[in-house]
Amino acid sequence: MRALIVVDVQNDFLPGGSLPVPHGDEIVKPVVQLIEDPNQKWDQVVMTRDWHPYNHISFAKVHNLPDFSPISYESPLEGDDRKQEGIVFPVHCVEETHGSQLAPELLEEQKKIGCFVVNKGYLQDRECFSAFNDIWNFQRTELHDYLRCHDVDEVYVVGLAMDYCVKNTAISAAKLGYKTTILEKYTRGFISDKESMLKFREELAENNVQLA
Ligand SMILES: [Zn+2]
């Protein structure tokens, strides 16, 4: 069974939002068309939302740091002294705000087809890029169970941003055993220079994610 996973096409990640992905708006209509495309015959369509409490650990202002500063995250597990390097962001996708809602055309589509919506990043004390799990892989969303319950073995990932949540969702999916493809035409990212794109492609290849 084939599933389409539409990652984080939310107002805050679009132009005019608090953390806009360059040209993110260009994919909204095409993604709706992809969902509706009769030739695709999706068995499942899932939409994900970045869904943070107002004081989420990934927000720069929580740490009194300028936006996009580097940060060293400590494991939320007591007694675990591992750290992960990251960067902090402007406040974005606060749960139940306008910024965290799906883009209007996608919201309309979601209501029309009644597809499953997965929230992620709702635990205050940890960053979360993948729609399957937080960056420590301690907390899992319901996405894997949902897909398994519906006999999905093949996933296609689209949405925003290509080099963060789309990439991490795809890598998680591949690690969980799904045949995984990112449909490049239906994503936009923060990176665009040749070197970063090359590294991005290598990372996908190393993790058994196809780019089509
Ligand atoms: Zn976020």
Side-chain angles (χ1 to χ4, degrees):
M1 296 277 188
R2 301 164 76 242
L4 177 66
I5 303 176
V6 181
V7 175
D8 297 6
V9 183
Q10 294 163 273
N11 292 324
D12 269 345
F13 293 131
L14 296 170
S18 65
L19 184 50
V21 181
H23 306 286
D25 52 325
E26 292 171 3
I27 65 160
V28 177
K29 273 202 180 80
V31 166
V32 171
Q33 284 162 2
L34 181 67
I35 294 169
E36 295 268 332
D37 185 350
N39 297 319
Q40 292 289 348
K41 298 191 176 67
W42 303 113
D43 297 298
Q44 291 294 324
V45 175
V46 179
M47 297 185 191
T48 77
R49 294 189 298 198
D50 212 22
W51 197 253
H52 297 313
Y54 73 97
N55 58 348
H56 190 246
I57 197 166
S58 72
F59 297 165
K61 74 163 201 189
V62 169
H63 308 276
N64 289 318
L65 287 169
D67 291 337
F68 307 108
S69 303
I71 191 169
S72 191
Y73 285 124
E74 290 173 10
S75 167
L77 207 65
E78 219 174 299
D80 179 4
D81 55 8
R82 283 181 297 162
K83 290 184 175 180
Q84 285 196 52
E85 302 312 307
I87 55 169
V88 286
F89 297 103
V91 171
H92 64 278
C93 297
V94 173
E95 50 199 13
E96 305 295 356
T97 61
H98 172 77
S100 63
Q101 299 308 308
L102 296 169
E105 284 143 307
L106 265 187
L107 185 59
E108 201 179 303
E109 183 68 13
Q110 190 275 326
K111 285 178 178 159
K112 183 177 151 195
I113 63 174
C115 70
F116 189 55
V117 177
V118 177
N119 294 331
K120 65 187 182 62
Y122 44 80
L123 297 180
Q124 189 278 333
D125 63 355
R126 64 200 71 184
E127 177 60 296
C128 187
F129 295 121
S130 166
F132 287 93
N133 48 261
D134 65 61
I135 59 168
W136 304 95
N137 205 10
F138 294 151
Q139 189 259 348
R140 294 210 168 164
T141 68
E142 59 274 51
L143 181 54
H144 184 40
D145 287 339
Y146 179 85
L147 296 175
R148 266 194 313 198
C149 281
H150 292 87
D151 296 320
V152 170
D153 53 6
E154 197 176 346
V155 301
Y156 292 79
V157 189
V158 301
L160 303 171
M162 180 185 75
D163 42 333
Y164 281 96
C165 295
V166 170
K167 178 183 84 175
N168 284 283
T169 297
I171 290 174
S172 297
K175 282 189 176 150
L176 289 165
Y178 299 96
K179 185 172 188 280
T180 306
T181 305
I182 292 176
L183 300 175
E184 195 176 4
K185 199 175 134 190
Y186 302 91
T187 70
R188 291 292 184 275
F190 291 101
I191 54 166
S192 54
D193 63 289
K194 259 192 178 156
E195 201 183 320
S196 305
M197 282 306 294
L198 198 67
K199 258 179 77 182
F200 172 73
R201 283 167 197 278
E202 279 171 7
E203 193 179 353
L204 296 186
E206 279 163 18
N207 286 283
N208 295 317
V209 174
Q210 311 289 318
L211 191 65

